[in-house]
Amino acid sequence: MIVRELLKDFYEKFYVANNKCNVFFAPGRVNLIGGHVDYHGGFVLPCAINYGTYLVISKRDDNEVYGFSKNFKDIGILGKGFDNLEYDESDNWFNYPKGIIKNLIEKGYKISNGFNMLFYGNIPNGAGLSSSASLELVILTALNSIFDFKLTKIEMVLIAKEVENDYVGVNCGIMDQYAIAFGKKNNAILLDCKLNKHEYVEMDLKDNKIMIINSNKQRKLADSKYNERRDESYSGLKIIMEKANKKNISELKIEDFEKYNNEISNETERKRAKHVIYENNRTINAGKLLKENDLANFGKLINESHKSLKNDYEVSCDELDYLVELMIDDDSVIGSRMTGAGFGGCTVNIVKENEIERIIEKVNKNYFEKFGFYPSIYVADVGDGCKEMRLES
Ligand code: GLA
């Protein structure tokens, strides 16, 4: 249905007779556990969701590139040749296609024609569900296909991450791009961010569903304290690694932290290191519990993860804490935590399916009473990674 509508919109915006067009989709992702450990080479457990970004694309006969986003209708059609691909604040969302194109050209991939693009995303922007990584990956998947670059998934992941880090200027880890490329229906991805290798863990949620609650407290990842946290945690972790004689953060055990943490004189750095080591070990355990289908204990680790992100890593906020509080007090909730970078954005929750309506009502009412605005609530399925869509769908 969505695809048919987008094709209609595409032809209205960019009518070019007889031009073949293709449709691609890249999901958003939600991280079940493993918050702020990817950039330290730890383990994370995200999954792709059935919300994401659609792209209709068609080659042109010239060398111009045009894009229209249904999410930013007011901006209209943006267009550029291949000659000016530098980042430009005023280009807004169009910087993402520009960044990807620039990166591909610099790597020697030959983009032989221009093309028209129409985008539509149903993930909330800047809410911690990776709308930007989804946009990067949908573009890469499309260009890879229509120009036959033969890029592998991991190559696309690394290009998208490079664009985010060096072109957009957000110093993120690899989790978002990886989960979006490698997502698999009904599976979580236990990803080792040091080796960039994953294992799928089947998610049998039984009579439960994933509920994502957007606090609607906007956060700006690039402006946030993300980089500051990275640096603070690294300083403490370095001390423990040296003392424990371990080369990688992912090898650090809880015992190492308990034995050597008093060597870290700065209290903030100690707390940051504590979160990373405990969270990494929690994620490994959570992966095991999910494999064993032990949802109750899996949920407990999700709750602990939130506490640690709140108290030790200090990346939560009142709105997220309140949402988690409302959920963990409810018998129909298996686990609840903030997800993504934090400082606003979303919580991820595992809830009993037949209690969803009641929970939505309760959360809306209480949250509005406390903050004067509503959250947005999504019930999500675990979906596939980026792919081409069949046109008849
Ligand atoms: C953002 C980043 C990820 C990861 C999370 C926190 O989503 O893009 O790389 O660091 O924050 O877990």
Side-chain angles (χ1 to χ4, degrees):
M1 190 57 203
I2 293 186
V3 171
R4 216 175 308 145
E5 244 169 64
L6 294 179
L7 283 171
K8 196 170 137 268
D9 294 338
F10 183 84
Y11 283 115
E12 267 165 26
K13 286 278 165 218
F14 303 108
Y15 181 76
V16 193
N18 297 328
N19 260 10
K20 178 178 180 306
C21 58
N22 301 69
V23 184
F24 296 85
F25 173 76
R29 68 93 190 92
V30 69
N31 189 21
L32 300 167
I33 192 163
H36 286 269
V37 292
D38 62 341
Y39 48 81
H40 286 305
F43 281 84
V44 292
L45 190 67
C47 56
I49 53 177
N50 60 331
Y51 293 86
T53 316
Y54 294 82
L55 165 58
V56 187
I57 189 166
S58 169
K59 281 187 191 169
R60 297 171 55 95
D61 296 331
D62 54 19
N63 275 326
E64 315 251 288
V65 178
Y66 291 95
F68 175 79
S69 166
K70 287 190 71 177
N71 300 77
F72 297 92
K73 282 190 182 134
D74 296 348
I75 299 180
I77 296 181
L78 291 166
K80 285 260 166 19
F82 293 129
D83 43 337
N84 182 6
L85 294 169
E86 290 311 317
Y87 187 91
D88 179 347
E89 194 78 45
S90 66
D91 273 336
N92 201 295
W93 68 270
F94 200 62
N95 280 303
Y96 288 95
K98 277 169 50 184
I100 298 284
I101 295 167
K102 183 167 185 279
N103 190 294
L104 288 169
I105 293 176
E106 281 167 4
K107 289 202 166 58
Y109 291 97
K110 200 168 157 14
I111 302 184
S112 49
N113 298 66
F115 42 91
N116 295 322
M117 301 177 283
L118 179 130
F119 292 88
Y120 167 67
N122 55 11
I123 345 173
N125 286 331
L129 301 178
S130 292
S131 52
S132 57
S134 172
L135 182 52
E136 289 152 9
L137 261 307
V138 82
I139 300 162
L140 268 167
T141 310
L143 298 184
N144 192 32
S145 166
I146 68 171
F147 293 110
D148 198 21
F149 292 145
K150 302 203 163 35
L151 289 163
T152 60
K153 275 191 188 174
I154 189 69
E155 282 169 332
M156 289 200 282
V157 168
L158 294 171
I159 290 174
K161 179 175 179 287
E162 208 170 279
V163 169
E164 189 77 51
N165 293 162
D166 303 339
Y167 185 85
V168 182
V170 178
N171 210 4
C172 64
I174 200 163
M175 170 176 71
D176 304 348
Q177 289 80 7
Y178 199 103
I180 288 168
F182 286 91
K184 185 173 165 192
K185 198 171 167 51
N186 296 332
N187 279 259
I189 303 166
L190 183 60
L191 168 62
D192 177 336
C193 300
K194 183 177 157 283
L195 300 177
N196 290 343
K197 289 242 154 67
H198 71 277
E199 186 189 334
Y200 288 116
V201 184
E202 206 183 329
M203 282 185 76
D204 177 7
L205 289 178
K206 304 190 181 90
D207 53 349
N208 301 287
K209 282 278 190 188
I210 293 180
M211 182 185 273
I212 296 167
I213 309 184
N214 183 358
S215 65
N216 284 330
K217 163 127 191 263
Q218 282 295 323
R219 56 167 186 84
K220 278 220 152 112
L221 192 58
D223 304 335
S224 74
K225 295 189 171 286
Y226 189 86
N227 291 343
E228 193 182 292
R229 291 293 181 280
R230 249 183 115 126
D231 296 344
E232 287 164 350
S233 46
Y234 189 68
S235 316
L237 289 164
K238 202 163 149 249
I239 295 173
I240 298 189
M241 273 197 300
E242 272 164 20
K243 294 286 167 196
N245 202 14
K246 296 201 168 143
K247 286 199 197 68
N248 302 300
I249 288 164
S250 54
E251 291 166 36
L252 292 175
K253 299 276 172 264
I254 286 165
E255 301 83 79
D256 296 322
F257 176 81
E258 294 304 336
K259 197 159 161 199
Y260 299 114
N261 78 80
N262 51 7
E263 305 279 343
I264 309 172
S265 53
N266 180 308
E267 177 56 19
T268 304
E269 290 174 3
R270 185 177 23 240
K271 286 204 296 190
R272 306 299 188 243
K274 180 177 179 197
H275 165 75
V276 174
I277 296 172
Y278 271 78
E279 183 75 354
N280 189 42
N281 283 277
R282 243 190 312 267
T283 307
I284 295 168
N285 289 337
K288 282 189 200 133
L289 291 168
L290 195 58
K291 274 183 222 165
E292 291 161 8
N293 236 318
D294 184 348
L295 282 186
N297 284 314
F298 178 68
K300 285 189 187 142
L301 294 186
I302 293 184
N303 297 344
E304 277 175 31
S305 166
H306 183 79
K307 264 193 224 147
S308 175
L309 287 159
K310 174 187 174 204
N311 299 327
D312 291 330
Y313 219 62
E314 295 179 282
V315 288
S316 189
C317 62
D318 291 348
E319 290 82 352
L320 291 172
D321 292 341
Y322 185 61
L323 286 173
V324 168
E325 216 177 279
L326 282 174
M327 298 301 271
I328 53 175
D329 282 349
D330 195 304
D331 287 347
S332 307
V333 177
I334 283 174
S336 176
R337 68 183 276 272
M338 56 152 278
T339 187
F343 310 103
C346 294
T347 63
V348 58
N349 310 273
I350 302 181
V351 303
K352 287 261 170 295
E353 191 169 4
N354 56 9
E355 293 291 327
I356 284 177
E357 262 175 50
R358 178 187 61 78
I359 292 175
I360 290 180
E361 214 180 296
K362 165 176 130 174
V363 170
N364 274 329
K365 180 175 171 288
N366 286 282
Y367 191 83
F368 183 81
E369 268 169 19
K370 194 162 167 76
F371 296 107
F373 56 96
Y374 286 101
S376 308
I377 305 182
Y378 305 79
V379 177
D381 287 325
V382 178
D384 282 324
C386 46
K387 59 181 177 192
E388 181 159 6
M389 307 284 293
R390 291 203 328 267
L391 289 189
E392 63 270 24
S393 57

